């Protein structure tokens, strides 16, 4: 028998679809059911490396990766068959079943949907055949009527799966009941029938003051409000789209600030989520030199991943952050570059194939990066060699993570000939300057590795399993009794 499908739709982006889908995956898994997540199309530069087709590694959105872990399932490409990775305001790289598709990348948006729908439907059908429950996440809003005819991620998926849908809204932003009613009203009659409940998310205040709005809404739509979920600042998952919220900083005296440069095409920002749970550590957005003016040498500046390294490096220079980063490094301050950030730390970006762009680097490591058409996508298990200075605690520490990059980085030959050589602390993956305060790594996910966190901070943070169980338990107190079980009843 095909799996029962529960679908989480939202009145807007940021309403809480990803969070709620993750919590539902663990809730149903805790009932002893075999569960898988699914999102037909995700637009995000937060991606993870997972099992692909025919043994190849592939990419999916980070949200589906975490949802799979919450479901106690092995993450794989069918869970997010189409991933759009924005490279500019009007252009995205298209990843189908884990692999970059140049053909689909070149197609117009509406022309693309007809081509990819058969593979999206096949991926969903296969997951339904192998599981008891599939928890499906929508995208944006299902009431975007300009996109309805070419929809492949919201109500077309719901109709195909016969999904029982929840419609979630962010009540903290105001206008929640209008958002719920307006979304429902714009749907065709047959699609309205798939909405089984409204969910108010991120509520602060006295829930008794909501009346009589839920009753009025049900009188107009026939749909009950089945949950009021309180605001959570410390749920332990990466924020949607990786955004940090200063209100969720770990309490206690701050001993270290980690300042992450937030350039326009930032990617894989969610990998820094575990740092939010380290006692005494503060995460800070950086968009201007003023943001780093008060940093001490013991504080970090982090250059994270980028989907458009050359363009983001040009933006960084335009803000004057190149000088601020150089000044911090010059006084012995810790600077870490991850993937695209590593590439920026070198002397030059060379792009003979037109993949990303040419340009001079920041010159903090004597390295050069050449962009190649073939994309490195793989899981990696490795171990740090001898590491000096600010990162000395990593010496000999095993590390597990993933790589996603077009660039290939090596010593700058002319500088090496003059004796200016970066210390290669992991062959082909990590390099350090002689002073020991600048480190560049290709390995994403370092701070999700318990051994790395313990070495650097002596800290133990909540495990993902404990986070997922906390989310599932929270649902049990927020939903009307019996609603969640009824959604998966035959």
């Amino acid at each position: 028998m095909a799996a029962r499908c529960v679908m989480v739709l939202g009145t807007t982006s940021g309403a809480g679809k990803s969070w709620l889908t993750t919590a539902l995956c663990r809730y149903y898994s805790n009932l002893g059911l075999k569960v898988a997540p699914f999102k037909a199309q995700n637009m995000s530069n937060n991606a993870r490396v997972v099992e692909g087709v025919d043994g190849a590694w592939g990419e999916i959105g980070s949200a589906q990766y975490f949802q799979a872990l919450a479901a106690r399932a092995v993450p794989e490409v069918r869970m997010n068959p189409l991933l759009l990775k924005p490279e500019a305001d009007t252009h995205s790289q298209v990843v189908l079943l884990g692999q970059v598709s140049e053909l689909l990348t070149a197609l117009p948006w509406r022309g693309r949907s007809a081509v990819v729908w058969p593979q999206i439907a096949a991926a969903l059908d296969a997951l339904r055949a192998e599981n008891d429950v599939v928890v499906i996440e929508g995208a944006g809003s299902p009431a975007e009527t300009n996109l309805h005819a070419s929809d492949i991620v919201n109500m077309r998926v719901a109709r195909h799966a016969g999904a029982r849908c929840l419609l979630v809204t962010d009540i903290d932003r105001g206008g929640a009941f209008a958002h719920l009613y307006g979304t429902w009203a714009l749907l065709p009659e047959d699609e309205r029938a798939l909405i089984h409940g409204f969910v108010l998310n991120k509520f602060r205040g006295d829930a008794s003051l909501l009346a009589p709005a839920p009753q009025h809404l049900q009188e107009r739509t026939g749909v009950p409000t089945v949950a009021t979920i309180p605001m959570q600042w410390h749920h332990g998952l990466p924020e949607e789209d990786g955004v940090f919220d200063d209100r969720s900083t770990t309490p206690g005296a701050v001993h270290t600030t980690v300042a992450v440069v937030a350039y326009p095409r930032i990617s894989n920002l969610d990998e820094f989520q575990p740092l939010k749970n380290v006692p005494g550590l503060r995460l800070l957005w950086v968009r201007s030199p003023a943001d780093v003016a008060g940093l001490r040498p013991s504080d970090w500046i982090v250059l994270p991943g980028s989907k458009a390294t050359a363009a983001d490096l040009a933006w960084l220079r335009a803000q004057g952050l190149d000088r601020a980063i150089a000044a911090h490094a010059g006084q012995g301050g810790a600077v870490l570059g991850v993937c695209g950030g590593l590439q920026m730390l070198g002397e030059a970006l060379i792009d003979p194939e037109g993949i990303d762009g040419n340009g001079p680097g920041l010159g903090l490591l004597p390295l050069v990066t050449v962009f190649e058409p073939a994309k490195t996508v793989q899981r990696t298990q490795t171990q740090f060699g001898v590491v000096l200075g600010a990162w000395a605690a990593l010496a000999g520490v095993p590390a597990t993570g993933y790589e996603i990059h077009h660039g290939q980085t090596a010593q700058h030959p002319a500088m090496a000939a003059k004796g200016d050589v970066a210390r290669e602390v992991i062959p082909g993956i990590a390099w350090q300057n002689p002073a020991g305060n600048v480190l560049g790594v290709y390995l994403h996910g370092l701070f999700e590795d318990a051994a790395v966190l313990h070495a650097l901070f002596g800290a133990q943070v909540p495990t993902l399993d404990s986070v997922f169980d906390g989310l599932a338990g929270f649902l049990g107190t927020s939903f009307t009794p019996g609603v969640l079980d009824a959604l998966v009843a035959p």
Side-chain angles (χ1 to χ4, degrees):
M1 185 178 74
R4 285 89 76 195
C5 293
V6 177
M7 188 165 186
V8 179
L9 303 165
T11 56
T12 62
S13 293
K17 294 185 294 292
S18 296
W19 178 94
L20 181 54
T21 301
T22 306
L24 289 171
C25 283
R26 178 49 61 100
Y27 178 89
Y28 289 125
S29 177
N30 283 348
L31 296 181
L33 299 168
K34 188 177 181 183
V35 182
F38 181 80
K39 184 168 185 174
Q41 176 181 278
N42 200 346
M43 178 176 281
S44 177
N45 277 330
N46 294 326
R48 296 297 170 117
V49 176
V50 300
E51 292 186 2
V53 178
D54 299 327
W57 294 111
E59 299 178 67
I60 64 170
S62 291
Q64 284 64 63
Y65 171 84
F66 286 113
Q67 289 161 7
L69 298 183
R72 298 185 175 92
V74 177
E76 46 118 328
V77 296
R78 293 180 301 175
M79 296 170 177
N80 175 209
L82 195 66
L83 174 63
L84 309 182
K85 305 187 77 173
E87 297 177 317
D89 288 342
T90 58
H91 177 78
S92 295
Q93 183 184 67
V94 179
V95 179
L96 179 64
L97 290 173
Q99 303 301 312
V100 174
S101 171
E102 299 296 342
L103 174 63
L104 292 175
T105 298
L107 282 179
W109 181 284
R110 286 183 169 85
R112 186 187 300 150
S113 62
V115 176
V116 298
W117 173 251
Q119 294 181 75
I120 288 172
L124 176 55
D125 291 344
L127 290 174
R128 293 181 67 201
E130 298 167 13
N131 292 277
D132 301 317
V133 174
V134 175
V135 185
I136 304 170
E137 180 183 343
S141 163
E144 293 166 341
T145 54
N146 57 312
L147 301 176
H148 191 272
S150 55
D151 171 43
I152 55 171
V153 65
N154 285 311
M155 301 313 296
R156 186 173 186 179
V157 173
R159 294 195 309 269
H160 181 82
R164 295 168 177 174
C165 300
L166 298 172
L167 181 61
V168 60
T169 192
D170 178 356
I171 195 171
D172 192 53
R173 294 179 181 271
F177 294 103
H179 281 163
L180 290 168
Y181 179 76
T183 301
W184 175 88
L186 285 170
L187 295 177
E189 192 68 36
D190 62 325
E191 294 177 1
R192 292 179 189 173
L194 298 174
I195 308 296
H196 283 242
F198 295 138
V199 175
L200 302 173
N201 190 30
K202 305 180 186 180
F203 179 72
R204 293 189 283 178
D206 182 356
S208 67
L209 298 178
L210 292 171
Q215 293 85 346
H216 289 169
L217 188 62
Q218 185 169 357
E219 290 167 5
R220 288 168 170 81
T221 66
V223 179
T225 297
V226 295
T228 300
I229 301 176
M231 177 71 78
Q232 298 180 79
W233 301 120
H234 300 282
H235 54 65
L237 281 180
E239 299 294 337
E240 290 178 288
D241 300 319
V243 175
F244 298 153
D245 190 319
D246 289 340
R247 291 167 293 186
S248 61
T249 301
T250 298
V254 174
H255 58 70
T256 303
T257 294
V258 176
V260 181
V261 179
Y263 20 74
R265 299 299 165 201
I266 194 168
S267 68
N268 292 74
L269 189 62
D270 57 333
E271 65 181 306
F272 300 108
Q273 163 66 32
L275 294 180
K276 295 171 68 175
N277 301 322
V278 174
L281 190 149
R282 178 175 67 125
L283 281 174
L284 175 71
W285 282 106
V286 171
R287 294 188 176 94
S288 74
D291 296 332
V292 300
L295 294 185
R296 303 161 300 173
S298 58
D299 295 326
W300 300 10
I301 292 179
V302 178
L303 303 179
S306 168
K307 191 63 186 72
T309 304
D312 277 345
L313 182 53
W315 173 89
L316 185 150
R317 281 198 167 92
Q319 312 310 308
L321 277 165
D322 56 335
R323 296 186 295 275
I325 294 167
H328 183 70
Q331 66 173 353
V335 178
L336 172 67
V338 180
C339 196
L342 155 66
Q343 296 167 353
M344 294 181 191
L345 290 175
E347 289 290 328
L349 306 174
I350 300 174
D351 187 15
E353 304 290 339
I355 303 297
D356 190 290
N358 297 290
L362 297 175
L364 295 180
L365 290 173
L367 304 172
V368 61
T369 295
V370 179
F371 293 105
E372 299 179 354
K375 191 176 189 180
T376 298
V377 178
Q378 62 188 29
R379 298 284 302 176
T380 301
Q381 289 184 310
T382 186
Q383 182 172 334
F384 282 93
V386 176
V387 192
L388 304 178
W391 319 101
L394 292 175
V397 173
T400 300
Y402 56 101
E403 297 178 59
I404 307 176
H405 54 93
H406 278 286
Q408 299 299 322
T409 299
Q411 301 282 348
H412 190 293
M415 299 181 73
K418 296 178 180 180
D420 189 358
V421 179
R423 299 188 64 260
E424 194 171 33
V425 296
I426 303 176
I429 293 178
W431 296 262
Q432 185 179 33
N433 68 338
N437 62 308
V438 179
L439 175 67
V441 299
Y442 264 125
L443 197 64
H444 288 288
L446 276 177
F447 303 117
E448 296 169 348
D449 190 303
V452 170
L453 276 182
H454 184 73
L456 288 172
F457 304 108
Q460 291 185 338
V461 300
T463 65
L464 279 174
D465 259 348
S466 67
V467 169
F468 297 145
D469 282 333
L471 297 180
F474 203 69
L475 291 189
T477 61
S478 301
F479 272 78
T480 301
V483 166
L484 294 178
D485 292 356
L487 289 174
V488 297

